[in-house]
Amino acid sequence: MIDATPPEELAEDERWMRVALEQARAAAEREEVPVGAVIVHQGRAIAAAHNQREALSDPTAHAEMIAITQAAEALQSWRLLDCTLYVTLEPCPMCAGAVVQARIPRVVYGAADPKAGACHTLYRITDDERLNHRAVVIGGVCEEQSRRLLREFFLRQRRRGKK
């Protein structure tokens, strides 16, 4: 993907994506699919989360959903204006829908998701003109690190006879 992001913005995106990668590693340590998310508001992280579907027995406990809830609480508003969501894997339809509902203006993700990606890969929910909000979405930031975490996790799971 060709990206016209200015170098200083790309450096900032990589900085926050590394924080999301730390969250993804925490998920893997807990036997969760290693996806991490961070929400930044005016240069400050206001939310950080990782997948917790197994721990919470909750199909909606994706990293993005938990981070969006944390950010809304931090800002005391469901409108997450002036925020950027950093996530290690392209958001699924549920999470992309939550981005639209929360009015998050910018999403940065690591690896594309060929099975459930809803920003660029399978669907384009975050820039669908029929919806009342659209987000700028940048993919491929720290892509290889994100992809490697997922690949290693699922390889371990298959060796154990899981997933």
Side-chain angles (χ1 to χ4, degrees):
M1 163 183 270
I2 297 172
D3 188 42
T5 306
E8 62 280 355
E9 195 171 311
L10 185 58
E12 191 72 2
D13 288 346
E14 288 175 356
R15 171 186 170 214
W16 290 114
M17 189 60 77
R18 284 192 295 275
V19 177
L21 284 162
E22 289 172 20
Q23 287 291 319
R25 288 184 197 96
E29 289 171 10
R30 292 166 178 81
E31 297 298 317
E32 300 278 359
V33 175
V35 177
V38 175
I39 296 180
V40 174
H41 177 258
Q42 298 177 347
R44 184 175 65 87
I46 59 170
H50 56 77
N51 275 359
Q52 295 185 50
R53 293 190 320 171
E54 301 296 334
L56 300 176
S57 297
D58 180 353
T60 69
H62 289 200
E64 302 96 306
M65 299 296 284
I66 295 167
I68 287 169
T69 298
Q70 291 173 355
E73 186 175 318
L75 295 179
Q76 292 294 291
S77 176
W78 62 267
R79 291 178 185 90
L80 301 183
L81 307 174
D82 299 319
C83 289
T84 298
L85 167 65
Y86 294 91
V87 61
T88 59
L89 182 65
E90 180 182 1
C92 72
M94 174 182 66
C95 295
V99 164
V100 170
Q101 291 301 313
R103 311 297 195 265
I104 297 173
R106 189 166 181 269
V107 176
V108 177
Y109 69 85
D113 186 349
K115 294 183 178 180
C119 294
H120 290 142
T121 307
L122 292 179
Y123 305 102
R124 298 186 69 93
I125 292 172
T126 51
D127 69 357
D128 189 321
E129 292 182 4
R130 296 169 296 178
L131 300 174
N132 64 337
H133 172 77
R134 282 166 288 292
V136 172
V137 179
I138 298 164
V141 176
C142 297
E143 179 177 16
E144 185 50 41
Q145 299 96 310
S146 299
R147 189 174 303 161
R148 187 177 322 116
L149 273 173
L150 289 160
R151 190 177 20 222
E152 290 171 359
F153 174 80
F154 285 113
L155 180 61
R156 281 192 312 273
Q157 294 298 307
R158 283 190 295 278
R159 285 182 181 153
R160 295 177 187 160
K162 300 177 180 179
K163 300 190 189 215

